[in-house]
Amino acid sequence: MRKDTEDTYGLKDLQNVILNIAQYIDKLCSEHGINYRLMGGSALGAKRHEGFIPWDDDLDVFMTPTEYEKFRDIFEMYGDKETYTIQEQGASKGKVITSKLRLNNSYYEEEILKGWKIHHGVYVDIFILHTCPDNKLTQYWQYCWAKYLIVKGLANKTYKRRSGMAGMVVKAFKVLPKRFLLDYGLRQVYKWRDTKTEFFCNFLGKALFKNGKYKYDDFARSKRVKFETIELNVPEGLERFLTNRFGDYMKPPSPERIKYEQHASTWNLNPIDYTDRSDEKYLF
């Protein structure tokens, strides 16, 4: 981290550890010809702050299905597994909803997973950048199945953060078997991976239909930008992506929104032996 980086929110030590994980991902990808790009608030931080947003307690990257599968294979063959662990969420027949590269012997508690017997290490999120069909009806089909997977995963994790209709839907999904329609839903999201279209999408995330779809040319290639004391990849069409995703992205959010966007309730960066992972298979 830069010495002059502000620490108003007391996150600088945590951000420094996350930055080390990101640097490892960047090194492994660079050595093996794998592309990735910062996404979401991490891409926004690169543009607006040349590093972390001061209140951000995580880092997110995009990989296409092919890029992620190559990354996973390379990590299994050559990765530093004493230091890191790949944790896949919603894994089924090689497909995943999302993935995390976790730092072993550390602890990062999220309220939604509190008490779960899984690897809780500090992490970098790897989101899958899917090909989106050109036809509007099939886009909605892909979108609906992606949101089904998200809501079912939240139901499995005993999500309690929403009220109203969203909360009622999550509660209704709790009665379904834990992996109900997981494989079929993933097939619908991955369906266009080998098709040439005008769009990528990130429907397996918080983005809604109107701001979860991106021009293919903005993401097909990446560029290097400054991020704290290192350089990381961002989409070549970074500014267009940020405008589509956030609107006026140079305007900071409200204090209430800042609190909502944060993930960690507590963390421990000292070495911790955490080996009980009996709930790992229920991450979907």
Side-chain angles (χ1 to χ4, degrees), residues 1-2 21 52 54-55 72 98 100-101 171 176 185 187 200 202 207 209 213 227 248 256 278 281 283:
M1 297 288 287
R2 292 169 295 180
I21 303 173
F52 284 99
W55 52 85
R72 178 176 59 195
T98 60
K100 299 177 187 289
L101 188 68
K171 287 180 181 177
L176 300 174
R187 288 204 310 272
F200 282 120
N202 176 36
F209 184 82
K213 188 173 64 175
F227 196 94
D248 182 6
E256 293 77 20
S278 55
K281 62 183 176 181
L283 273 177

Side-chain angles (χ1 to χ4, degrees), residues 18-137:
I18 295 171
L19 186 64
N20 288 337
I21 303 173
Q23 188 174 33
Y24 176 76
I25 291 173
D26 179 73
K27 180 175 182 291
L28 201 61
C29 288
S30 297
E31 289 175 349
H32 296 277
I34 304 168
N35 193 17
Y36 74 90
R37 322 109 180 106
L38 296 180
M39 64 158 288
S42 302
L44 174 58
K47 176 65 178 179
R48 194 167 69 193
H49 303 275
E50 294 188 338
F52 284 99
I53 296 173
W55 52 85
D56 212 354
D57 57 3
D58 72 341
L59 188 141
D60 305 321
V61 305
F62 267 143
M63 294 181 190
T64 66
T66 300
E67 290 161 354
Y68 172 70
E69 287 160 12
K70 185 176 180 181
F71 175 82
R72 178 176 59 195
D73 292 345
I74 291 296
F75 181 80
E76 286 304 312
M77 287 188 289
Y78 308 113
D80 181 2
K81 289 185 278 294
E82 284 194 12
T83 305
Y84 302 105
T85 295
I86 285 182
Q87 182 185 73
E88 296 183 330
Q89 301 195 47
S92 178
K93 300 179 181 178
K95 303 177 183 67
V96 299
I97 295 178
T98 60
S99 182
K100 299 177 187 289
L101 188 68
R102 295 254 192 198
L103 177 66
N104 298 334
N105 300 316
S106 67
Y107 185 75
Y108 180 102
E109 182 182 276
E110 297 174 88
E111 192 65 33
I112 194 171
L113 292 172
K114 188 175 181 179
W116 279 58
K117 297 173 182 178
I118 61 172
H119 192 310
H120 285 282
V122 180
Y123 63 86
V124 165
D125 261 323
I126 303 172
F127 286 85
I128 309 301
L129 183 66
H130 289 282
T131 302
C132 187
D134 291 327
N135 179 273
K136 185 64 69 73
L137 286 177

Side-chain angles (χ1 to χ4, degrees), residues 237-248:
L238 175 63
E239 291 76 15
R240 286 186 295 272
F241 162 62
L242 292 176
T243 299
N244 180 56
R245 183 69 180 85
F246 299 107
D248 182 6

Side-chain angles (χ1 to χ4, degrees), residues 5-6 9 51 57 66-67 80 111 123 159 164 188-189 204-205 212 236 253:
T5 300
E6 68 170 276
Y9 296 85
D57 57 3
T66 300
E67 290 161 354
D80 181 2
E111 192 65 33
Y123 63 86
Y159 188 61
Q188 305 318 299
V189 176
L204 282 172
E236 189 171 68

